[in-house]
Amino acid sequence: GQDSLAIVHVTVGGPAHGAGLAAGHRIAAIDDTPIAAWAEGTDIALWTQRAGAVAITLADGRELTATLARFY
């Protein structure tokens, strides 16, 4: 499996942008669960359906908090 998720696009003014995420960043863990530990075939979109704040660990070690919201 893969060990991180690449961020391809962040909409200015959106929740990801507000959290400090940008295109080119790589997410290594969400809520302390490493991406590498996700089961093969896990739908990446599932974590975005939760409400509230999530802890995001970037591949470079930085930790950010994003508050999930329906944006589109």
Side-chain angles (χ1 to χ4, degrees):
Q2 64 187 55
D3 62 358
S4 64
L5 300 173
I7 297 176
V8 177
H9 175 79
V10 173
T11 301
V12 174
H17 180 256
L21 294 168
H25 284 160
R26 296 197 68 86
I27 298 174
I30 298 171
D31 283 341
D32 296 322
T33 300
I35 300 305
W38 291 13
E40 191 71 32
T42 297
D43 186 347
I44 294 168
L46 290 177
W47 72 273
T48 67
Q49 296 174 11
R50 294 180 291 173
V54 294
I56 297 173
T57 305
L58 298 179
D60 66 9
R62 284 182 286 166
E63 295 186 1
L64 305 171
T65 301
T67 300
L68 301 180
R70 281 206 186 274
F71 185 66
Y72 295 103

